[in-house]
Amino acid sequence: MPLSDDIAEALLTSIIDGHYPPGTALPPEPVLAEQHAASRLTLREAIKVLRSQNVVRIHRGRGTYVNNPDQWTALEPMIRAAATGPRAGGAISEKLIEARQMIEVGAAQLAAVRRTDDDLAELAEMLDEMRAAAAAGDTEQFVTADITFHDVVMRASGNAFVPLLLEPFGQLLIEGRRQTSAVPQIRTNAVAHHERVLEALRGGDPEKARRAMAAHMTQTAGDLRTHVIEPPH
Protein backbone atom coordinates (compact mmCIF):
# COMPACT_ATOMS: atom_id res chain seq x y z
CA MET A 1 0.00 0.00 0.00
CA PRO A 2 1.42 3.44 -0.89
CA LEU A 3 2.53 5.62 2.02
CA SER A 4 -0.12 8.19 1.08
CA ASP A 5 -2.84 5.56 1.59
CA ASP A 6 -1.35 4.61 4.97
CA ILE A 7 -1.43 8.26 6.02
CA ALA A 8 -5.01 8.69 4.78
CA GLU A 9 -6.01 5.62 6.81
CA ALA A 10 -4.25 6.97 9.92
CA LEU A 11 -5.93 10.36 9.56
CA LEU A 12 -9.33 8.73 9.02
CA THR A 13 -8.85 6.68 12.18
CA SER A 14 -7.99 9.85 14.13
CA ILE A 15 -11.10 11.55 12.75
CA ILE A 16 -13.35 8.62 13.63
CA ASP A 17 -11.82 8.37 17.10
CA GLY A 18 -12.77 12.01 17.70
CA HIS A 19 -9.24 13.42 17.68
CA TYR A 20 -10.30 15.75 14.88
CA PRO A 21 -14.06 16.33 15.36
CA PRO A 22 -16.35 17.51 12.55
CA GLY A 23 -15.90 21.20 11.80
CA THR A 24 -12.34 21.39 13.11
CA ALA A 25 -9.23 21.86 11.04
CA LEU A 26 -6.50 19.29 10.59
CA PRO A 27 -3.02 20.41 11.66
CA PRO A 28 -1.11 22.40 9.02
CA GLU A 29 0.45 20.48 6.18
CA PRO A 30 4.07 20.76 7.45
CA VAL A 31 3.04 19.48 10.88
CA LEU A 32 1.20 16.46 9.47
CA ALA A 33 4.07 15.69 7.11
CA GLU A 34 6.52 15.71 10.02
CA GLN A 35 4.19 13.60 12.19
CA HIS A 36 3.97 10.93 9.51
CA ALA A 37 7.59 11.18 8.38
CA ALA A 38 6.46 11.95 4.84
CA SER A 39 7.07 14.58 2.22
CA ARG A 40 4.50 17.31 1.79
CA LEU A 41 3.74 15.89 -1.66
CA THR A 42 2.87 12.50 -0.11
CA LEU A 43 0.81 14.24 2.56
CA ARG A 44 -1.16 16.09 -0.12
CA GLU A 45 -1.89 12.78 -1.84
CA ALA A 46 -3.28 11.44 1.45
CA ILE A 47 -5.47 14.50 1.89
CA LYS A 48 -6.66 14.07 -1.69
CA VAL A 49 -7.89 10.56 -0.79
CA LEU A 50 -9.94 11.90 2.12
CA ARG A 51 -11.21 14.79 0.05
CA SER A 52 -12.40 12.39 -2.69
CA GLN A 53 -14.54 10.68 -0.01
CA ASN A 54 -15.77 14.08 1.25
CA VAL A 55 -14.32 13.26 4.66
CA VAL A 56 -12.54 16.62 4.55
CA ARG A 57 -12.89 19.87 2.64
CA ILE A 58 -10.19 22.37 1.78
CA HIS A 59 -10.57 26.11 2.30
CA ARG A 60 -7.83 27.84 0.37
CA GLY A 61 -5.68 29.90 2.67
CA ARG A 62 -7.45 28.59 5.80
CA GLY A 63 -6.74 24.87 5.95
CA THR A 64 -8.34 21.44 5.70
CA TYR A 65 -11.55 20.89 7.70
CA VAL A 66 -13.33 17.72 8.77
CA ASN A 67 -16.86 17.19 7.42
CA ASN A 68 -19.68 15.64 9.39
CA PRO A 69 -19.96 11.86 8.69
CA ASP A 70 -23.43 12.52 7.21
CA GLN A 71 -21.63 14.22 4.31
CA TRP A 72 -19.10 11.47 3.64
CA THR A 73 -19.56 9.73 0.30
CA ALA A 74 -17.61 6.48 0.84
CA LEU A 75 -19.49 3.64 2.48
CA GLU A 76 -16.64 1.99 4.41
CA PRO A 77 -15.62 5.14 6.35
CA MET A 78 -19.28 5.87 7.11
CA ILE A 79 -19.79 2.37 8.51
CA ARG A 80 -16.66 2.67 10.63
CA ALA A 81 -17.80 6.04 11.96
CA ALA A 82 -21.23 4.62 12.76
CA ALA A 83 -19.79 1.61 14.55
CA THR A 84 -16.97 3.19 16.54
CA GLY A 85 -17.34 6.93 16.53
CA PRO A 86 -19.27 9.23 18.83
CA ARG A 87 -22.40 8.62 16.74
CA ALA A 88 -22.54 4.95 17.69
CA GLY A 89 -25.46 3.69 19.72
CA GLY A 90 -29.23 3.73 19.56
CA ALA A 91 -29.55 6.37 16.86
CA ILE A 92 -27.45 4.27 14.48
CA SER A 93 -29.54 1.19 15.24
CA GLU A 94 -32.70 3.16 14.47
CA LYS A 95 -31.32 4.29 11.11
CA LEU A 96 -30.38 0.72 10.25
CA ILE A 97 -33.93 -0.41 11.01
CA GLU A 98 -35.22 2.32 8.67
CA ALA A 99 -32.90 1.05 5.93
CA ARG A 100 -33.98 -2.53 6.57
CA GLN A 101 -37.63 -1.52 6.36
CA MET A 102 -37.12 0.08 2.94
CA ILE A 103 -35.52 -3.09 1.61
CA GLU A 104 -37.12 -5.98 3.49
CA VAL A 105 -40.77 -4.95 3.18
CA GLY A 106 -40.45 -5.03 -0.61
CA ALA A 107 -38.46 -8.26 -0.45
CA ALA A 108 -41.23 -9.95 1.54
CA GLN A 109 -43.81 -8.79 -0.99
CA LEU A 110 -41.84 -10.37 -3.83
CA ALA A 111 -41.04 -13.50 -1.82
CA ALA A 112 -44.73 -14.20 -1.27
CA VAL A 113 -45.11 -15.12 -4.93
CA ARG A 114 -41.61 -16.37 -5.68
CA ARG A 115 -40.66 -18.45 -2.62
CA THR A 116 -40.07 -22.16 -3.04
CA ASP A 117 -40.95 -25.04 -0.76
CA ASP A 118 -37.29 -25.19 0.24
CA ASP A 119 -37.42 -21.52 1.23
CA LEU A 120 -40.48 -22.15 3.40
CA ALA A 121 -38.84 -25.17 5.02
CA GLU A 122 -35.72 -23.16 5.87
CA LEU A 123 -37.79 -20.30 7.26
CA ALA A 124 -39.72 -22.74 9.47
CA GLU A 125 -36.44 -24.25 10.67
CA MET A 126 -35.03 -20.84 11.58
CA LEU A 127 -38.24 -19.95 13.38
CA ASP A 128 -37.97 -23.16 15.44
CA GLU A 129 -34.38 -22.23 16.29
CA MET A 130 -35.49 -18.76 17.37
CA ARG A 131 -38.14 -20.27 19.66
CA ALA A 132 -35.63 -22.67 21.20
CA ALA A 133 -33.01 -19.94 21.64
CA ALA A 134 -35.57 -17.59 23.19
CA ALA A 135 -36.63 -20.25 25.67
CA ALA A 136 -32.99 -20.98 26.56
CA GLY A 137 -32.02 -17.32 26.77
CA ASP A 138 -29.33 -17.93 24.14
CA THR A 139 -28.89 -14.50 22.56
CA GLU A 140 -26.19 -15.51 20.08
CA GLN A 141 -28.19 -18.42 18.69
CA PHE A 142 -31.29 -16.24 18.52
CA VAL A 143 -29.39 -13.57 16.56
CA THR A 144 -27.97 -16.14 14.13
CA ALA A 145 -31.40 -17.69 13.45
CA ASP A 146 -33.04 -14.25 13.16
CA ILE A 147 -30.51 -12.99 10.62
CA THR A 148 -30.72 -16.22 8.62
CA PHE A 149 -34.53 -15.97 8.53
CA HIS A 150 -34.32 -12.51 7.00
CA ASP A 151 -31.56 -13.56 4.60
CA VAL A 152 -33.82 -16.36 3.32
CA VAL A 153 -36.69 -13.91 2.77
CA MET A 154 -34.43 -11.63 0.75
CA ARG A 155 -33.11 -14.53 -1.34
CA ALA A 156 -36.65 -15.77 -1.83
CA SER A 157 -37.51 -12.44 -3.45
CA GLY A 158 -35.99 -13.92 -6.60
CA ASN A 159 -33.97 -10.77 -7.23
CA ALA A 160 -30.23 -11.37 -6.97
CA PHE A 161 -29.55 -7.72 -6.09
CA VAL A 162 -31.77 -7.64 -3.00
CA PRO A 163 -29.60 -9.78 -0.67
CA LEU A 164 -26.59 -7.64 -1.54
CA LEU A 165 -28.15 -4.35 -0.50
CA LEU A 166 -27.59 -4.81 3.24
CA GLU A 167 -24.42 -6.89 2.94
CA PRO A 168 -22.01 -3.98 3.66
CA PHE A 169 -23.71 -3.47 7.02
CA GLY A 170 -23.23 -7.06 8.16
CA GLN A 171 -21.40 -6.44 11.45
CA LEU A 172 -23.56 -3.46 12.35
CA LEU A 173 -26.68 -5.55 11.75
CA ILE A 174 -25.33 -8.28 14.04
CA GLU A 175 -24.51 -5.78 16.79
CA GLY A 176 -27.94 -4.19 16.43
CA ARG A 177 -29.64 -7.58 16.80
CA ARG A 178 -27.55 -8.32 19.89
CA GLN A 179 -28.72 -5.06 21.45
CA THR A 180 -32.36 -5.98 21.13
CA SER A 181 -32.25 -9.78 21.34
CA ALA A 182 -30.68 -9.64 24.80
CA VAL A 183 -34.09 -8.48 26.10
CA PRO A 184 -36.50 -11.42 26.73
CA GLN A 185 -39.64 -9.41 25.85
CA ILE A 186 -38.14 -8.36 22.54
CA ARG A 187 -37.34 -11.99 21.70
CA THR A 188 -40.96 -12.92 22.44
CA ASN A 189 -42.26 -10.10 20.25
CA ALA A 190 -39.88 -10.99 17.43
CA VAL A 191 -40.92 -14.63 17.38
CA ALA A 192 -44.59 -13.64 17.10
CA HIS A 193 -43.90 -11.31 14.18
CA HIS A 194 -41.72 -13.85 12.38
CA GLU A 195 -44.59 -16.32 12.69
CA ARG A 196 -46.88 -13.85 10.91
CA VAL A 197 -44.33 -13.21 8.18
CA LEU A 198 -43.95 -16.94 7.54
CA GLU A 199 -47.72 -17.43 7.53
CA ALA A 200 -48.11 -14.70 4.91
CA LEU A 201 -45.36 -16.20 2.75
CA ARG A 202 -46.93 -19.65 2.99
CA GLY A 203 -50.23 -18.18 1.88
CA GLY A 204 -48.63 -16.57 -1.16
CA ASP A 205 -50.30 -13.22 -0.38
CA PRO A 206 -47.91 -10.37 -1.31
CA GLU A 207 -49.97 -7.65 0.38
CA LYS A 208 -50.26 -9.66 3.59
CA ALA A 209 -46.52 -10.38 3.48
CA ARG A 210 -45.77 -6.68 2.97
CA ARG A 211 -47.94 -5.73 5.95
CA ALA A 212 -46.47 -8.47 8.14
CA MET A 213 -42.87 -7.40 7.47
CA ALA A 214 -43.75 -3.72 7.88
CA ALA A 215 -45.37 -4.49 11.24
CA HIS A 216 -42.28 -6.44 12.27
CA MET A 217 -40.00 -3.52 11.42
CA THR A 218 -42.26 -1.14 13.34
CA GLN A 219 -42.20 -3.53 16.31
CA THR A 220 -38.41 -3.76 16.14
CA ALA A 221 -37.99 0.02 16.12
CA GLY A 222 -40.47 0.44 18.97
CA ASP A 223 -38.85 -2.27 21.07
CA LEU A 224 -35.41 -0.75 20.50
CA ARG A 225 -36.57 2.60 21.78
CA THR A 226 -38.64 1.23 24.66
CA HIS A 227 -36.28 -1.41 26.01
CA VAL A 228 -32.80 -0.30 24.87
CA ILE A 229 -32.60 3.43 24.17
CA GLU A 230 -35.07 4.49 26.87
CA PRO A 231 -35.27 1.44 29.16
CA PRO A 232 -37.80 1.54 32.02
CA HIS A 233 -36.33 2.34 35.41
Side-chain angles (χ1 to χ4, degrees):
M1 179 184 292
L3 179 58
S4 58
D5 287 347
D6 287 340
I7 296 172
E9 173 64 24
L11 289 172
L12 177 62
T13 298
S14 294
I15 290 168
I16 289 172
D17 288 346
H19 191 67
Y20 304 122
T24 63
L26 296 181
E29 208 174 76
V31 174
L32 286 175
E34 183 177 353
Q35 286 177 353
H36 294 278
S39 68
R40 292 179 66 172
L41 179 60
T42 300
L43 191 281
R44 286 180 194 136
E45 287 299 315
I47 296 296
K48 188 183 295 184
V49 172
L50 297 179
R51 189 183 182 192
S52 71
Q53 300 170 340
N54 211 39
V55 174
V56 300
R57 65 187 183 278
I58 296 174
H59 291 290
R60 299 297 175 190
R62 292 172 51 198
T64 302
Y65 288 78
V66 178
N67 288 326
N68 191 291
D70 286 343
Q71 298 173 285
W72 299 359
T73 55
L75 185 59
E76 193 270 339
M78 290 177 67
I79 292 174
R80 284 178 55 190
T84 62
R87 294 163 55 81
I92 293 301
S93 295
E94 285 189 300
K95 289 184 182 299
L96 279 173
I97 292 171
E98 287 178 356
R100 287 180 58 200
Q101 182 166 19
M102 294 171 67
I103 295 167
E104 295 195 47
V105 169
Q109 189 169 6
L110 288 174
V113 293
R114 296 179 178 177
R115 85 292 183 277
T116 65
D117 289 343
D118 286 344
D119 292 328
L120 294 176
E122 189 172 1
L123 290 170
E125 181 183 351
M126 290 306 106
L127 184 53
D128 284 343
E129 288 193 17
M130 289 176 68
R131 292 190 189 103
D138 188 338
T139 299
E140 286 302 312
Q141 183 57 36
F142 190 90
V143 167
T144 298
D146 183 5
I147 288 176
T148 303
F149 184 100
H150 285 269
D151 286 346
V152 174
V153 172
M154 289 194 287
R155 291 200 312 269
S157 70
N159 185 314
F161 293 105
V162 171
L164 302 177
L165 295 175
L166 290 175
E167 192 173 87
F169 304 97
Q171 191 57 42
L172 284 181
L173 290 170
I174 291 171
E175 293 302 325
R177 295 299 217 295
R178 283 176 180 152
Q179 269 188 316
T180 53
S181 298
V183 180
Q185 184 58 54
I186 295 181
R187 292 198 297 266
T188 299
N189 293 346
V191 167
H193 278 273
H194 282 76
E195 288 171 347
R196 294 180 194 123
V197 170
L198 178 53
E199 178 187 354
L201 294 177
R202 276 194 180 121
D205 186 332
E207 181 58 26
K208 187 175 179 181
R210 185 193 68 78
R211 290 198 306 267
M213 187 62 81
H216 172 39
M217 292 293 111
T218 300
Q219 161 258 319
T220 301
D223 280 349
L224 175 71
R225 178 158 294 281
T226 300
H227 296 282
V228 178
I229 299 176
E230 300 170 358
H233 299 288

